[in-house]
Amino acid sequence: MVEGAETDFSRRMSYGDYLGLDQLLAAQNPRSGQHDEMLFIVIHQVQELWLKLMGHELDLAMDRIRADDLAPAFKAMARISRIQRQLVEAWDVLTTLTPHDYLAFRESLGASSGFQSWQYRLIEYRLGSREAFMMRPHAHVPEVHGKLRAAFEAPSLYDEALRLLQRRGLPVPGEVVARDVRQAHEPHPGVEAVWATVYRDASAHFDLYELAEELVDLEDAFQTWRFRHMKTVERIIGHRQGTGGSAGVSYLRTVLDRRFFPELWSVRTSL
């Protein structure tokens, strides 16, 4: 016995009470009777929990960038990058599922698909994706659809970063900052030139230099997650159509070349 440890929780909050473990552990409901379906459910639920935390930290980072209070933003963004490592590692666990294992319960998924993850779409919108079509699977849930619409119509993380650069007196092109934020950011040579100024004189712009590197870390990790997702799907189902009607691997390949912060990558060539 651990001396002094609390053991009577008949009238006090326990660890399980605080975490809501009864509800959490009751949320895994395999439908097929196949052993490996539990793995599939748990991995995706864990990823959704990490996405929830990632969104929580992203909200803070964007708020602090708007306030020109970068230290808390850097902490939040560093935490996001570590969350992304966990998301990548989750695919390694899922790869223990063989095609035979998956096909044994695939029909139990019906039309459900990770393509329909609203938390993932919300993060994509906050990072700068502007594909309105991705809201359609959530039109039947007004609260969720409203959150997606609000993020779609609000400045992205990169928009906030570029506005900060402009407030600091750097010559971010006016048409970039003033554009309709419902339209995706397009690479602009003027933005690349501003980032080049930050990188070439990092000592004079050190917090902006650090902001740039935090953004690169975030996108690098996001692309790693996308790649591992694509390879995991290919390993388990090959080039079959996805359960929700998506094109599966062929669609996942197309998103690998999409950039949220394009000038932060192109500037590396021009420096």
Side-chain angles (χ1 to χ4, degrees):
M1 178 179 176
V2 179
E3 191 66 32
E6 296 285 350
T7 59
D8 183 0
F9 293 96
S10 58
R11 297 184 180 180
R12 303 183 68 178
M13 180 174 68
S14 70
Y15 171 82
D17 296 332
Y18 177 72
L19 295 178
L21 286 182
D22 287 347
Q23 299 96 318
L24 184 65
L25 298 178
Q28 296 76 46
N29 298 293
R31 297 167 182 266
S32 67
Q34 297 295 321
H35 174 82
D36 294 295
E37 190 180 358
M38 179 65 81
L39 164 68
F40 190 83
I41 292 172
V42 168
I43 287 294
H44 286 84
Q45 288 182 340
V46 167
Q47 293 221 28
E48 288 294 331
L49 286 171
W50 282 125
L51 289 171
K52 182 174 184 177
L53 182 56
M54 187 172 166
H56 181 68
E57 298 297 334
L58 191 55
D59 284 344
L60 175 63
M62 294 174 70
D63 177 72
R64 292 298 82 204
I65 291 170
R66 281 191 291 269
D68 200 349
D69 181 19
L70 294 186
F74 293 156
K75 180 178 179 180
M77 292 170 74
R79 184 172 291 168
I80 289 168
S81 293
R82 284 160 177 76
I83 292 168
Q84 289 173 305
R85 292 181 195 172
Q86 299 301 314
L87 289 166
V88 170
E89 289 296 323
W91 295 127
D92 287 342
V93 181
L94 193 60
T95 59
T96 65
L97 190 69
T98 70
H100 176 269
D101 298 334
Y102 177 65
L103 291 173
F105 66 82
R106 188 182 194 226
E107 289 188 3
S108 299
L109 275 63
S112 65
S113 167
F115 182 80
Q116 300 148 15
S117 170
W118 69 265
Q119 291 196 115
Y120 176 80
R121 295 301 170 203
L122 189 61
I123 288 170
E124 277 201 328
Y125 282 164
R126 287 173 176 160
L127 294 181
S129 172
R130 288 298 180 263
E131 294 182 272
F133 173 82
M134 297 303 183
M135 284 186 274
R136 290 187 187 179
H138 312 287
H140 66 294
V141 185
E143 181 181 358
V144 169
H145 192 265
K147 289 179 179 179
L148 291 171
R149 173 63 66 181
F152 180 83
E153 295 179 348
S156 70
L157 174 64
Y158 197 48
D159 290 329
E160 299 293 0
L162 295 180
R163 292 177 181 195
L164 172 64
L165 265 60
Q166 187 183 64
R167 292 195 299 273
R168 292 285 191 90
L170 291 164
V172 179
E175 65 269 24
V176 173
V177 175
R179 84 179 201 288
D180 182 348
V181 295
R182 293 173 297 180
Q183 302 298 317
H185 171 78
E186 295 292 338
H188 193 292
V191 173
E192 182 179 314
V194 168
W195 285 122
T197 298
V198 170
Y199 273 97
R200 287 188 177 119
D201 195 359
S203 59
H205 306 287
F206 192 78
D207 60 345
L208 299 179
Y209 170 79
E210 188 173 356
L211 173 62
E213 287 298 287
E214 291 287 358
L215 290 168
V216 170
D217 284 346
L218 194 160
E219 181 157 16
D220 193 5
F222 201 89
Q223 288 294 79
T224 300
W225 184 89
R226 282 173 161 172
F227 177 78
R228 290 297 299 135
H229 183 195
M230 183 269 292
K231 295 305 292 184
T232 300
V233 171
E234 184 176 28
R235 177 170 176 161
I236 295 174
I237 69 168
H239 290 265
R240 291 170 178 263
Q241 187 180 53
T243 48
S246 72
V249 169
S250 61
Y251 167 75
L252 296 174
R253 284 188 191 279
T254 66
V255 301
L256 290 176
D257 292 328
R258 298 179 189 175
R259 298 286 193 191
F260 295 123
F261 322 132
E263 295 89 355
L264 285 171
W265 297 93
S266 60
V267 73
R268 284 158 158 72
T269 303
S270 62
L271 286 174

